Amino acid sequence: MSHYSEIACNLREKESLLEALKILFKINSSMIEVHDTPQNLYDYRNTIRPQKANIIIRRQHVGAMSNDMGFIKQEDGTYKAIIDQFSQGIGYGASWLNKLQQTYNLKVVEKVFKKQNKKFTQQKLKDGTIKLSVAY
């Protein structure tokens, strides 16, 4: 049984988090569960685990032999990632969380620009950074 880790993240805006997850997992909204009340996660054998999350990506979307992955809302409004060790070892570790944070940040910025009716473009640089240009 793989041990879960709870990882603090700077993720606060639910809709931007959901958009970032859809992009990184290459899945649609129906494959991400969203709950007001945290629900239990399951391991790769379909055994219920004590860990709970408000946002859940079930194991079949994470990878073969993976457990469910989740994000639980904290009292301060941020989400904490709940990821098992096996999943961290197959690509959902620190590097993936950095990509999630970057994609999330981009979605937050897009939302702000759209609200202000500003047009913007994005360009991925060789070092992996994303450059945003805004037209005023």
Side-chain angles (χ1 to χ4, degrees):
M1 192 176 313
S2 187
H3 171 75
Y4 274 100
S5 297
E6 291 189 8
I7 305 156
C9 302
N10 189 19
L11 307 166
R12 182 176 300 274
E13 214 289 314
K14 180 173 72 175
E15 293 307 317
S16 296
L17 173 56
L18 293 172
E19 288 299 315
L21 289 169
K22 286 190 318 189
I23 290 168
L24 292 180
F25 278 102
K26 298 178 174 82
I27 57 177
N28 61 46
S29 299
S30 67
M31 297 173 177
I32 301 172
E33 295 179 20
V34 180
H35 304 278
D36 291 331
T37 303
Q39 302 296 307
N40 287 92
L41 300 177
Y42 289 81
D43 67 18
Y44 68 97
R45 294 176 296 185
N46 204 30
T47 304
I48 195 167
R49 298 295 299 261
Q51 293 81 10
K52 294 183 177 190
N54 299 91
I55 297 172
I56 300 171
I57 299 94
R58 295 293 178 192
R59 63 194 174 283
Q60 63 267 29
H61 305 299
V62 179
M65 302 301 290
S66 292
N67 295 343
D68 292 346
M69 181 185 298
F71 294 84
I72 187 159
K73 191 166 189 173
Q74 304 299 293
E75 286 184 23
D76 66 358
T78 60
Y79 286 89
K80 187 180 281 190
I82 305 172
I83 306 172
D84 70 285
Q85 286 178 330
F86 179 81
S87 297
Q88 290 178 49
I90 63 165
Y92 296 105
S95 177
W96 183 83
L97 283 169
N98 287 336
K99 286 180 193 171
L100 176 64
Q101 186 70 57
Q102 186 180 46
T103 306
Y104 166 85
N105 291 345
L106 183 60
K107 290 298 168 189
V108 170
V109 169
E110 284 178 7
K111 188 175 181 179
V112 169
F113 286 160
K114 284 180 183 176
K115 207 179 256 189
Q116 297 174 355
N117 291 319
K118 301 225 188 298
K119 295 188 180 196
F120 65 95
T121 59
Q122 57 180 318
Q123 175 186 9
K124 191 168 188 174
L125 305 177
K126 289 179 184 177
D127 66 358
T129 339
I130 296 175
K131 177 183 176 181
L132 292 178
S133 300
V134 183
Y136 285 93

